[in-house]
Amino acid sequence: MNLSGLIVGLATFLIIGAFHPVVIKTEYHFGVKVWWVFLLAGILFSIASLFVENTVASTILGVTAFSSFWSILELFEQRERVRKGWFPKKLSRKK
């Protein structure tokens, strides 16, 4: 029995689920000025996925890398959602 697909699927589900609130909280506390942190994380996870020999671990690192890259776009979209009033704006940035 090969559980690799289920493991990768579950890990992908959890990674995407974890990045959603991270993007929301990052935009709330820091704004979009820290987008480069997601870029750096994506690059580091991409490099790590190239050097890990285990296929499942390499795949999970790759999913994490591209979730980091996607979070850059989501960070800017979250700023727009805040501007529209769909999410709360941090008081210190209201001025």
Side-chain angles (χ1 to χ4, degrees):
M1 185 178 341
N2 187 351
L3 296 176
S4 298
L6 290 177
I7 293 169
V8 169
L10 177 62
T12 301
F13 177 75
L14 294 173
I15 290 166
I16 292 170
F19 270 86
H20 179 69
V22 167
V23 166
I24 292 170
K25 291 195 181 294
T26 299
E27 195 285 328
Y28 180 81
H29 291 289
F30 305 107
V32 296
K33 64 186 175 193
V34 296
W35 66 268
W36 60 270
V37 174
F38 289 105
L39 177 64
L40 182 61
I43 291 169
L44 292 175
F45 281 115
S46 294
I47 292 169
S49 75
L50 294 173
F51 291 99
V52 172
E53 291 189 25
N54 182 286
T55 304
V56 172
S58 177
T59 303
I60 292 170
L61 287 168
V63 167
T64 306
F66 282 87
S67 292
S68 297
F69 294 140
W70 185 260
S71 293
I72 296 169
L73 173 65
E74 283 299 315
L75 192 60
F76 286 92
E77 288 183 1
Q78 179 65 18
R79 176 175 65 181
E80 289 304 307
R81 291 188 285 266
V82 169
R83 187 186 62 73
K84 292 177 181 178
W86 298 351
F87 283 84
K89 188 174 197 175
K90 189 168 183 182
L91 294 175
S92 62
R93 285 192 285 146
K94 282 188 178 179
K95 299 176 185 177

